[in-house]
Amino acid sequence: MAKAFSIGDHKLMTSRMIMLPLACFAAMMFLGIQASAHATDVVHFTSAVLPPSPFKLRQAKAQGKELKQEPGFPLWGHLSKPDGTGPFPAVVLMHGCFGIHLTHARWASLLNELGYVTLILDSFRPRSVFNVCKTFPFWYPFWITLPAASPAVRALDAHGALAYLQGLLFVDPTRIGVIGWAHGGISALEAVRIYGITDRLPQLFKAAIAFYPYCLSDRSFDLPILILMGEADDRALLSLCQDLQARSLNGSASIELVAYPGAYHDFDVVELQQGLSVEGADGRTHWYKYDKEAHEDAIERVKSFLAEHLSRR
């Protein structure tokens, strides 16, 4: 049964630890999705672009200039849909620091069976980024710069995917959510927070789910949020998400936080039955491991959360 706890000391790694290089793990996952993706089309669209701020508009007007809209960044994703004509609710899926892998294809297939259109958004390969697990710390100060594939940049990607889905005849444009894993979880939360980089964009998501994100407690939201964490995760700390939830109870939208005792990072990645040691940006190693009980509970929680918040009203 899931409950919230403070994270204890990391368990000692045993002789059963699988020490795979990061690149090999990512390559394995990428090959897996190519083999298993079902009824999926590769689609092309662009990231969202922020409109000029009121200050820039006033400045341009005073100078007699006309501001031109900058083009969005070219992206692609994997689109799949349920049988029928719709219109269906839809979900944007945002991968973690390894990029797209088989887990996301499995989640997409499950959601398709439940009646949702899915778009697995690829933020890395269009930018010639392989992964950011080692080179991009979760605590990166987004407000200082916007490097390639940062959570703030990926928030604009998510809104580009949202706009693309809203233009499809078989998608209900008023019932679109976003789900992110790890680095994608941070990005999903950035895409829906109040006063964030996407605050001036017209399109709105209806709900968001984040799997084991690195929570930043100064964020505020005005839509339903579900966060799923492993209690033993030493990469994305439960205590930070507890701080975020506590803050949300004082005026922001309600955040549902679920913590699984004994579960680690990537608890829904079936391939990690034996666990995997991964080096992070700070030089420390982190333990990633599948947890069947946590995974099965997460599936049920995702089902009920989306049914509640993306259903027809």
Side-chain angles (χ1 to χ4, degrees), residues 40-222:
T40 300
D41 293 322
V42 175
V43 295
H44 297 264
F45 49 94
T46 62
S47 64
V49 178
L50 295 178
S53 66
F55 171 76
K56 286 187 176 180
L57 288 173
R58 290 194 301 270
Q59 189 178 45
K61 184 177 180 181
Q63 296 173 351
K65 297 180 180 179
E66 180 181 354
L67 290 179
K68 294 183 179 180
Q69 184 77 356
E70 295 292 328
F73 189 87
L75 298 168
W76 61 75
H78 305 270
L79 178 73
S80 52
K81 64 181 287 293
D83 295 331
T85 58
F88 304 103
V91 184
V92 175
L93 307 183
M94 304 189 72
H95 59 75
C97 68
F98 286 114
I100 296 174
H101 57 68
L102 184 55
T103 294
H104 309 118
R106 278 193 293 264
W107 277 105
S109 180
L110 172 64
L111 293 171
N112 296 154
E113 292 173 7
L114 295 172
Y116 299 93
V117 172
T118 57
L119 176 54
I120 304 175
L121 167 61
D122 194 337
S123 289
F124 284 3
R125 286 181 296 163
R127 295 184 169 93
S128 298
V129 173
F130 183 68
N131 70 67
V132 295
C133 298
K134 187 175 178 180
T135 60
F136 191 99
F138 280 0
W139 44 262
Y140 195 90
F142 315 135
W143 54 89
I144 295 177
T145 60
L146 298 180
S150 72
V153 168
R154 294 189 66 192
L156 294 175
D157 294 353
H159 278 262
L162 170 63
Y164 173 81
L165 287 171
Q166 287 179 324
L168 300 177
L169 294 179
F170 53 84
V171 170
D172 183 338
T174 67
R175 296 189 293 150
I176 302 177
V178 59
I179 303 177
W181 286 260
H183 191 277
I186 310 169
S187 304
L189 294 179
E190 286 295 299
V192 299
R193 75 180 182 96
I194 305 172
Y195 312 124
I197 191 171
T198 62
D199 199 44
R200 287 183 279 133
L201 297 176
Q203 299 92 351
L204 296 174
F205 287 101
K206 292 291 289 184
I209 299 174
F211 281 78
Y212 32 86
Y214 192 94
C215 291
L216 298 171
S217 61
D218 63 344
R219 280 15 184 184
S220 298
F221 307 93
D222 58 2

Side-chain angles (χ1 to χ4, degrees), residues 31 94 124 141 180 243 253 271 295:
L31 291 173
M94 304 189 72
F124 284 3
D243 291 343
E271 288 73 20
H295 184 199

Side-chain angles (χ1 to χ4, degrees), residues 2-6 189 213-221 223-229 237-259 301 305:
K3 55 181 178 178
F5 281 92
S6 296
L189 294 179
Y214 192 94
C215 291
L216 298 171
S217 61
D218 63 344
R219 280 15 184 184
S220 298
F221 307 93
L223 80 172
I225 303 287
L226 172 63
I227 299 177
L228 301 165
M229 301 287 297
L237 302 182
L238 172 60
S239 59
L240 297 179
C241 294
Q242 289 172 326
D243 291 343
L244 176 63
Q245 183 190 41
R247 177 186 173 92
S248 77
L249 298 176
N250 298 321
S252 185
S254 175
I255 296 176
E256 181 182 354
L257 173 62
V258 179
R301 291 181 185 272
F305 181 84

